[in-house]
Amino acid sequence: MKKCIVLKGDIIWTESPDGFRYQENGYLAVEDGLVRGVYASAPEGEYELLDFTGSIIAPGLSDLHVHAPQHQFAGLFMDEELLEWLNAHTFPYEARFSDTGYAEKAYRSFVSELGSGATTRAAVFATIHRKSSLILMRQMESAGLRGYVGKVSMDRNSPDILIEGTDEAIAEEEAFLEEASRFSKVLPIITPRFIPSCSDSLLQWLGDKAIKDNLPVQSHLDENLSEVEWVRDLCPWSRSYADAYSRFGLLGDMPTIMAHVVWPTEEEMDLLFKRNVYVAHSPSSNTNLRSGIAPVRRFLDKGIRVGLATDAAGGSSLSMLRMVTDAVQVSKLRSRYVDDSDKPLRFSEAFYLASKGGGSFFGKVGSFETGYDADIIVLDDGAFPSVLRSELSVPERLEMHAYRHSEAPVAAKFVRGERII
Amino acid sequence: MKKCIVLKGDIIWTESPDGFRYQENGYLAVEDGLVRGVYASAPEGEYELLDFTGSIIAPGLSDLHVHAPQHQFAGLFMDEELLEWLNAHTFPYEARFSDTGYAEKAYRSFVSELGSGATTRAAVFATIHRKSSLILMRQMESAGLRGYVGKVSMDRNSPDILIEGTDEAIAEEEAFLEEASRFSKVLPIITPRFIPSCSDSLLQWLGDKAIKDNLPVQSHLDENLSEVEWVRDLCPWSRSYADAYSRFGLLGDMPTIMAHVVWPTEEEMDLLFKRNVYVAHSPSSNTNLRSGIAPVRRFLDKGIRVGLATDAAGGSSLSMLRMVTDAVQVSKLRSRYVDDSDKPLRFSEAFYLASKGGGSFFGKVGSFETGYDADIIVLDDGAFPSVLRSELSVPERLEMHAYRHSEAPVAAKFVRGERII
């Protein structure tokens, strides 16, 4: 017999970037983990009714890029730029994950905070450490979250405390993928840190492996000007940073996420479009590390796939609702200072990117259309004072909640129909 | 007999923008509402000990510019720019404050949220409505907050629902000042909305009145490009927007706050410096309304006085801790995109602006030096998970708290020695 639940409340979602769809005081029917439909009145049939009257019911959000080991120091060392920040703080902190006891504790705190927010899916960087990466996968799966975790590959230009030999990197990745096959909700993903920290032979092996074993790929691209320059020096044979990944089979031969993409050339954007690569737009991190503001309007105009990402700990928050408003905000500054013809993102567009936009990397995720995975968050905006609340439409209430209370825990959360809060 | 209290905990403050001073596990002694000193061990004498061991004890923050009536819709209508946003939303919502019953309710929600955060002093815009403005003063004073409230003056270029005749504006301001004299902690401030909404004769009267009655002044300056252009048309006889205020005696003849100052000329900056005018830097609002990023580093280099401000509802948050991190963040984007020689604000500098920088408008406020008003906030950062917390210095914990938990209510708050949370 099918398992049916129906959630009652103020239901809102985006099917396209053009605007919200919503049903005030409506019914969201879920059958065997999938959305059956949204209704204005109680549907027929047998089901368990979950009454969230007065609360907002929205799709779960997808964090397309986050470094789990860095979450511990999120909000610190924000007076620095990318490369010095990596060397002075990030690498030493990541090195601690050679200790699985530390990893158990630190990842528990990460998973707990991720679990309490609006995120239902995430594409996560762990560290080079196989055992700790598997601990993270187990913890995320136990918490009911879904997504991808990558054991990070890095065999050059890295400190002694956080580097592998090329053979070791390959052997450890093989072993990681083997052991990771026991998980069913949190899956492995090929994860070269970025070009500067992976030798050509490691990159080639990772690209081949992804294609052979049918695995997705995640990495960093065009984040910071000094990094882009460095890659130019490291890969004189490539037309661009994106092209370098491409030559190793790491740019869209398999489903691919590239984080940041703040400084792409026209040619790189064309390549990202052709290869169906997902850009993980990380507005908070790109601001904190003084990287810049990614040209998201241009990506959308070109048809490039875009999702949003917290990128802890370049970003200081794990809140995807905060990323929605951050994405709107930086787009306004970009349109003011970089290109006045780049229209700022509207709130509904940014919400689309955080839900269905990024969610599509994980399948039919991030919308309430029939057949979509029932990833659902319930936001209790009644707890917060506004005399005007009773006058507001559901989209206005969602906007107000996102701007004012992005840090507030969600009241309930479902991942593919399974309730985890 | 003197009333003495001592707070025990991790004490931190800024005496200059150069960096933090702090005393881990220290003692902050308060005598009759004033700071006596910070000590490494328990001071001599009789006092009540308040034990906040493990929590951060910092100066209360000063919000130099906030529109109390707009707080109700903070976080809404963020897809628009200043002038359309004013006409479509702000003015109609402000017009409701002709109803004192509405004002009682709406201001209660504003004061409650302001009271629960890190703010101890604020310079507040009410509306044109005298009675409602007095309600706000009463509520703020009852809540133990201190600062200034201005009945807004506006007699031109405003909708019928929110405009006064010039004579009426003058008579109502006279009556407001008369009735406001019954308050002792929340004081009145002369508040022309901005040049476009005040006739020359009203501005002249307000300037004369401020000087005659020894009253401070607050208004808006150089917020948005279309506004600046409008003022140029309205005041062809002035050298600049700032000069226009100046000619009416509204630019530093009395202590003056000018909000925003995103687009000042060199000459205007020189004038602000010479007249000791405070700039209320509103990073969140200036981003939301696509106004731009104020040149704060230039202000500091020139010796102009700067404080931070939430500017609800251009800003969507009443959190001054959020303003500290927002100020750092937008300064990075300014240095990236506008002027690479403008070094970004460091966290300690932004914290200084929010505490002693803006606090000095209210007197000896915002520091823990001897003789300063004992405005104190206690932040319970132990409630939030970070495995690393025990390794962090007090400044690092403050930074982490500000970036990650700016929305969290403060654990305790004192204004001039009086405990209000």
Side-chain angles (χ1 to χ4, degrees):
Chain A
M1 197 182 126
K2 291 189 173 180
K3 195 193 164 202
C4 299
I5 56 172
V6 171
L7 288 78
K8 182 169 186 288
D10 300 323
I11 302 163
I12 182 165
W13 71 104
T14 45
E15 294 185 6
S16 78
D18 300 335
F20 287 107
R21 298 204 51 181
Y22 62 99
Q23 179 67 55
E24 195 165 359
N25 227 356
Y27 298 80
L28 170 63
V30 174
E31 208 169 78
D32 284 343
L34 304 183
V35 171
R36 198 176 73 198
V38 176
Y39 308 98
S41 52
E44 304 277 306
E46 297 228 338
Y47 50 78
E48 182 189 359
L49 181 72
L50 300 169
D51 192 348
F52 297 111
T53 300
S55 291
I56 296 169
I57 297 175
L61 304 183
S62 288
D63 188 344
L64 274 199
H65 181 69
V66 55
H67 291 267
Q70 298 174 19
H71 172 248
Q72 289 308 310
F73 63 90
L76 281 185
F77 320 123
M78 299 273 77
D79 291 346
E80 293 163 28
E81 273 194 52
L82 178 65
L83 298 181
E84 62 179 315
W85 174 83
L86 282 174
N87 288 309
H89 308 292
T90 306
F91 290 160
Y93 277 115
E94 286 198 11
R96 297 193 186 196
F97 286 79
S98 62
D99 172 357
T100 53
Y102 179 78
E104 280 284 359
K105 268 194 302 187
Y107 283 146
R108 196 170 305 127
S109 140
F110 167 77
V111 170
S112 152
E113 191 163 328
L114 195 70
S116 71
T119 302
T120 55
R121 313 270 170 151
V124 187
F125 276 54
T127 62
I128 59 171
H129 313 96
R130 173 173 47 89
K131 286 185 185 164
S132 292
S133 304
L134 292 162
I135 286 170
L136 175 59
M137 293 183 82
R138 169 170 50 74
Q139 288 192 5
M140 281 181 63
E141 186 154 308
S142 300
L145 296 164
R146 288 175 181 248
Y148 296 99
V149 168
K151 176 210 160 301
V152 175
S153 298
M154 48 200 296
D155 71 341
R156 69 169 173 179
N157 295 321
S158 305
D160 291 346
I161 49 167
L162 194 72
I163 193 167
E164 310 163 291
T166 307
D167 292 345
E168 182 193 3
I170 290 171
E172 287 293 295
E173 181 68 16
E174 286 275 25
F176 168 72
L177 294 172
E178 176 67 29
E179 295 179 53
S181 67
R182 70 173 186 268
F183 299 111
S184 60
K185 297 173 181 168
V186 178
L187 304 173
I189 182 167
I190 294 288
T191 306
R193 184 171 207 117
F194 64 161
I195 297 254
S197 57
C198 296
S199 67
D200 291 0
S201 34
L202 180 55
L203 289 167
Q204 190 62 59
W205 184 86
L206 291 168
D208 293 346
K209 181 72 179 169
I211 293 167
K212 183 163 153 276
D213 285 12
N214 195 25
L215 292 165
V217 172
Q218 62 180 354
S219 196
H220 298 88
L221 176 65
D222 292 334
E223 177 173 6
N224 182 285
L225 286 171
S226 41
E227 167 217 15
V228 172
E229 212 170 298
W230 193 12
V231 172
R232 203 177 295 129
D233 291 345
L234 290 167
C235 308
W237 41 263
S238 73
R239 298 176 58 89
S240 66
Y241 196 162
D243 176 57
Y245 282 119
S246 174
R247 297 206 190 188
F248 297 115
L250 290 164
L251 196 86
D253 294 283
M254 300 308 300
T256 299
I257 297 170
M258 284 290 160
H260 310 309
V261 198
V262 177
W263 300 100
T265 62
E266 287 295 322
E267 193 178 285
E268 285 184 302
M269 284 194 273
D270 292 341
L271 198 54
L272 295 174
F273 169 68
K274 273 188 221 142
R275 301 293 185 78
N276 282 315
V277 171
Y278 281 74
V279 172
H281 173 48
S282 312
S284 175
S285 168
N286 296 338
T287 298
N288 285 334
L289 295 172
R290 218 178 72 93
S291 301
I293 304 171
V296 175
R297 174 63 64 202
R298 304 244 20 239
F299 295 156
L300 298 180
D301 287 348
K302 280 177 171 285
I304 295 170
R305 293 162 181 273
V306 182
L308 299 188
T310 62
D311 188 33
S316 46
S317 170
L318 288 183
S319 165
M320 283 297 295
L321 283 174
R322 170 79 189 254
M323 288 314 108
V324 171
T325 59
D326 278 4
V328 171
Q329 290 178 323
V330 299
S331 77
K332 290 174 178 173
L333 294 175
R334 185 174 170 90
S335 88
R336 171 61 72 208
Y337 286 112
V338 185
D339 186 349
D340 201 38
S341 67
D342 272 11
K343 271 193 318 187
L345 292 181
R346 294 190 311 277
F347 176 70
S348 59
E349 290 178 304
F351 189 83
Y352 171 84
L353 298 182
S355 52
K356 191 175 172 183
S360 61
F361 188 80
F362 303 93
K364 294 175 86 167
V365 170
S367 181
F368 288 155
E369 292 153 75
T370 303
Y372 266 66
D373 283 5
D375 281 29
I376 305 166
I377 53 173
V378 178
L379 306 171
D380 179 11
D381 67 325
F384 301 110
S386 170
V387 170
L388 300 177
R389 184 174 171 282
S390 62
E391 300 174 20
L392 302 179
S393 69
V394 183
E396 286 172 336
R397 282 168 48 206
L398 179 63
E399 184 182 10
M400 180 176 270
H401 190 85
Y403 272 96
R404 290 166 75 155
H405 308 293
S406 63
E407 287 176 12
V410 300
K413 180 152 83 172
F414 301 77
V415 183
R416 209 172 195 272
E418 190 193 339
R419 185 164 187 173
I420 68 171
I421 291 180
Chain B
M1 197 183 127
K2 289 188 173 179
K3 194 195 166 201
C4 299
I5 56 172
V6 171
L7 288 78
K8 182 169 186 288
D10 301 322
I11 302 162
I12 182 164
W13 70 104
T14 46
E15 293 184 6
S16 78
D18 300 335
F20 286 107
R21 298 204 50 183
Y22 61 100
Q23 180 67 55
E24 195 165 1
N25 226 358
Y27 298 81
L28 170 64
V30 174
E31 209 169 78
D32 284 344
L34 304 184
V35 172
R36 199 177 73 201
V38 176
Y39 308 97
S41 52
E44 304 276 304
E46 296 229 337
Y47 50 77
E48 181 190 359
L49 182 72
L50 300 170
D51 192 347
F52 297 112
T53 300
S55 291
I56 296 169
I57 298 175
L61 305 182
S62 289
D63 188 344
L64 274 198
H65 181 68
V66 55
H67 291 267
Q70 298 174 20
H71 172 248
Q72 289 307 310
F73 64 89
L76 280 185
F77 320 124
M78 299 272 77
D79 291 345
E80 293 164 26
E81 274 195 52
L82 178 64
L83 297 181
E84 63 179 314
W85 173 82
L86 282 174
N87 288 310
H89 309 292
T90 306
F91 290 161
Y93 277 115
E94 287 198 12
R96 297 194 188 195
F97 286 78
S98 63
D99 171 358
T100 53
Y102 178 79
E104 280 284 2
K105 270 195 301 186
Y107 282 147
R108 196 169 304 126
S109 140
F110 167 77
V111 170
S112 154
E113 191 164 328
L114 195 70
S116 71
T119 301
T120 56
R121 312 271 171 150
V124 187
F125 276 56
T127 61
I128 60 170
H129 312 96
R130 173 173 47 89
K131 286 186 184 164
S132 293
S133 304
L134 292 162
I135 286 170
L136 175 59
M137 294 184 82
R138 169 171 50 74
Q139 288 191 5
M140 281 181 63
E141 187 155 306
S142 301
L145 296 164
R146 287 175 182 249
Y148 297 100
V149 168
K151 175 208 162 300
V152 176
S153 297
M154 48 200 298
D155 71 341
R156 69 169 172 179
N157 295 322
S158 306
D160 290 346
I161 49 166
L162 194 73
I163 193 166
E164 310 163 293
T166 308
D167 292 344
E168 182 193 4
I170 290 171
E172 287 293 294
E173 181 68 15
E174 286 274 25
F176 168 72
L177 294 172
E178 176 67 30
E179 295 178 52
S181 66
R182 69 173 187 268
F183 299 110
S184 60
K185 297 173 182 169
V186 178
L187 304 173
I189 183 168
I190 294 287
T191 307
R193 182 169 209 120
F194 65 159
I195 297 253
S197 57
C198 296
S199 66
D200 291 1
S201 34
L202 180 54
L203 289 167
Q204 191 62 60
W205 184 86
L206 291 168
D208 293 346
K209 181 73 179 171
I211 293 167
K212 182 163 152 277
D213 286 11
N214 196 25
L215 293 165
V217 172
Q218 62 180 356
S219 196
H220 298 88
L221 177 64
D222 291 334
E223 177 173 3
N224 180 285
L225 286 172
S226 41
E227 167 216 13
V228 172
E229 211 169 298
W230 193 12
V231 172
R232 202 177 297 131
D233 291 346
L234 291 168
C235 308
W237 41 263
S238 72
R239 297 175 59 89
S240 66
Y241 196 161
D243 177 57
Y245 282 119
S246 174
R247 298 207 189 187
F248 296 116
L250 290 164
L251 196 86
D253 294 281
M254 301 308 300
T256 300
I257 297 170
M258 284 289 160
H260 311 308
V261 198
V262 177
W263 300 100
T265 62
E266 288 295 322
E267 194 178 284
E268 285 184 302
M269 284 194 272
D270 292 340
L271 198 55
L272 295 174
F273 170 68
K274 274 189 221 143
R275 302 292 185 78
N276 282 314
V277 171
Y278 281 74
V279 172
H281 174 47
S282 313
S284 175
S285 168
N286 296 338
T287 298
N288 285 334
L289 295 172
R290 216 176 75 93
S291 301
I293 305 171
V296 175
R297 174 63 66 201
R298 305 245 18 239
F299 295 155
L300 298 179
D301 288 348
K302 280 176 172 283
I304 295 170
R305 293 161 182 274
V306 182
L308 299 187
T310 61
D311 188 33
S316 47
S317 170
L318 288 183
S319 165
M320 283 297 294
L321 283 174
R322 169 80 189 255
M323 289 314 108
V324 171
T325 60
D326 278 5
V328 171
Q329 290 178 322
V330 299
S331 77
K332 290 174 177 171
L333 294 176
R334 185 175 170 90
S335 88
R336 171 61 71 210
Y337 286 111
V338 185
D339 186 349
D340 202 38
S341 67
D342 272 11
K343 272 194 316 188
L345 292 180
R346 295 190 310 278
F347 176 70
S348 60
E349 289 178 304
F351 189 83
Y352 171 85
L353 297 182
S355 52
K356 191 175 171 183
S360 62
F361 188 80
F362 303 92
K364 293 176 86 168
V365 170
S367 181
F368 289 155
E369 293 153 76
T370 303
Y372 266 67
D373 283 6
D375 281 30
I376 305 165
I377 53 174
V378 179
L379 306 171
D380 178 11
D381 67 324
F384 301 110
S386 170
V387 171
L388 300 176
R389 183 172 171 283
S390 62
E391 300 173 21
L392 302 180
S393 69
V394 184
E396 286 172 337
R397 282 168 47 204
L398 180 63
E399 185 182 10
M400 180 177 270
H401 190 85
Y403 272 96
R404 288 166 75 154
H405 308 293
S406 63
E407 287 177 13
V410 299
K413 181 153 84 171
F414 301 76
V415 183
R416 212 173 193 271
E418 189 194 338
R419 185 166 186 172
I420 68 170
I421 292 180

